[in-house]
Amino acid sequence: MTADKILEYCLENLEGTVLVDSWGERGIFYNPENKLKRGIYVLTIKEKDGENDKSSQLNRETIYRVNLGVRKETFRKMFGSIPGRPGKGGIVDMEYDFSAINEILPHPVYAWMGWICSLNPSLETFQELEPLIREAYEYAKEKYSKRKV
């Protein structure tokens, strides 16, 4: 799978989503009829290290990370517990190799919010991510419905 194919999948299959370039990432936001400035995050693609996010070593050639926020209950089922919020520039206190390719991992910075990630997922790993992407989408729709638009 490529980053572009993942974004294309989202736009074609998740009604009411838009693609937004922000903070050096490309993101899929739930924003039907563009009623919000950006919308509600569903998924992002990060393709380079940031000042406070270097643990995935995204500066390696052709490496990207897909990130999505699932419900905390789902995160706990997958990884056991929700970690504490790391300090500025830090990563969550979890025993994972956040630079591992083609695995579903806790997000190195935002796991405390229930975010997960995968670096360069294969087609098979993407198929494992699909129901989680759907969950992130449904979760974004719930958050959107609570907003006054």
Side-chain angles (χ1 to χ4, degrees):
M1 289 296 289
T2 65
D4 289 337
K5 286 187 190 252
I6 292 170
L7 295 170
E8 182 179 305
Y9 165 85
C10 292
L11 292 170
E12 290 177 359
N13 293 283
L14 306 177
E15 186 177 337
T17 58
V18 295
L19 177 63
V20 176
D21 288 326
S22 60
W23 301 291
E25 298 180 350
R26 294 183 287 165
I28 298 293
F29 289 76
Y30 181 70
N31 196 10
E33 300 174 19
N34 292 307
K35 290 185 178 180
L36 298 176
K37 183 176 180 180
R38 289 195 195 288
I40 307 294
Y41 276 108
V42 174
L43 172 148
T44 66
I45 300 284
K46 187 170 177 96
E47 298 173 284
K48 63 182 179 182
D49 287 337
E51 185 176 322
N52 295 316
D53 185 359
K54 294 181 169 74
S55 61
S56 294
Q57 301 172 17
L58 298 176
N59 286 349
R60 293 176 284 168
E61 193 168 329
T62 71
I63 300 296
Y64 70 93
R65 186 180 69 211
V66 58
N67 313 288
L68 56 142
V70 294
R71 290 180 175 87
K72 288 187 177 180
E73 177 182 318
T74 300
F75 187 97
R76 283 187 198 96
K77 285 179 185 174
M78 294 175 70
F79 303 110
S81 64
I82 302 286
R85 184 177 184 171
K88 183 175 179 169
I91 62 171
V92 293
D93 185 16
M94 298 181 84
E95 295 295 321
Y96 288 91
D97 176 0
F98 295 113
S99 66
I101 295 171
N102 196 33
E103 292 182 32
I104 299 175
L105 302 164
H107 190 285
V109 178
Y110 298 119
W112 65 276
M113 296 188 321
W115 279 68
I116 64 172
C117 67
S118 183
L119 280 68
N120 290 51
S122 66
L123 179 57
E124 292 79 19
T125 301
F126 179 75
Q127 289 169 342
E128 292 177 44
L129 282 172
E130 280 181 290
L132 299 166
I133 292 169
R134 178 64 60 179
E135 178 177 323
Y137 169 68
E138 295 298 331
Y139 196 26
K141 285 172 59 176
E142 289 171 20
K143 292 175 190 174
Y144 181 88
S145 72
K146 294 176 184 174
R147 289 255 177 112
K148 300 218 187 248
V149 290

